[in-house]
């Protein structure tokens, strides 16, 4: 059993998915899924309806245990991910990198 961290006043949730800074985050049209890009060269998807708890759901490609609200996390993309856009009515995601590659 993990000890829950003390959260700052007004903070409703906290989790550690990425190992570097968060560069961008976007919500889907329904406001239930959040995509997060990071300086650790990964992108994660979180189900906001599953917040509130540290039970585990699955593992990523490196067998790291993911919290239950994390739908998945990409493998290392070898470049910092800096921006995200959801297109085509939520069916496509475009991510911009430090090198200018989309």
């Amino acid at each position: 059993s993990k000890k829950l961290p003390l959260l700052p006043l007004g903070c409703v949730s906290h989790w550690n998915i990425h190992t570097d800074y968060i560069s961008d985050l976007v919500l889907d049209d329904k406001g239930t899924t959040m995509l997060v890009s990071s300086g650790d060269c990964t992108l994660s998807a979180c189900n906001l309806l599953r917040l509130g708890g540290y039970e585990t759901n699955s593992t990523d490609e490196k067998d790291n245990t993911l919290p239950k609200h994390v739908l998945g996390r990409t493998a290392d993309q070898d470049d910092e991910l800096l921006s995200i856009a959801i297109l085509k009515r939520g069916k496509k995601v475009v991510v911009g990198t430090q090198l200018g590659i989309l």
Side-chain angles (χ1 to χ4, degrees):
S1 164
K2 290 184 178 181
K3 184 177 180 180
L4 296 176
L6 294 176
L7 300 177
L9 185 63
C11 182
V12 296
S13 185
H14 174 271
W15 59 86
N16 294 320
I17 302 168
H18 298 279
T19 58
D20 206 338
Y21 66 92
I22 300 301
S23 57
D24 197 8
L25 57 89
V26 295
L27 296 175
D28 68 348
D29 289 339
K30 296 177 186 175
T32 59
T33 303
M34 179 172 63
L35 300 177
V36 181
S37 62
S38 173
D40 67 6
C41 306
T42 64
L43 174 75
S44 64
C46 302
N47 182 337
L48 299 179
L49 299 177
R50 293 184 186 170
L51 290 177
Y54 286 84
E55 299 87 20
T56 59
N57 183 37
S58 61
T59 58
D60 66 9
E61 73 287 341
K62 295 179 182 176
D63 289 328
N64 295 318
T65 301
L66 298 174
K68 69 176 184 171
H69 62 275
V70 179
L71 301 172
R73 189 172 119 192
T74 65
D76 187 324
Q77 301 300 303
D78 296 326
D79 196 8
E80 292 180 18
L81 305 180
L82 301 177
S83 61
I84 311 170
I86 299 175
L87 307 171
K88 302 283 185 181
R89 296 187 181 122
K91 302 216 183 276
K92 300 276 184 183
V93 175
V94 176
V95 180
T97 69
Q98 179 180 351
L99 296 175
I101 299 170
L102 297 177

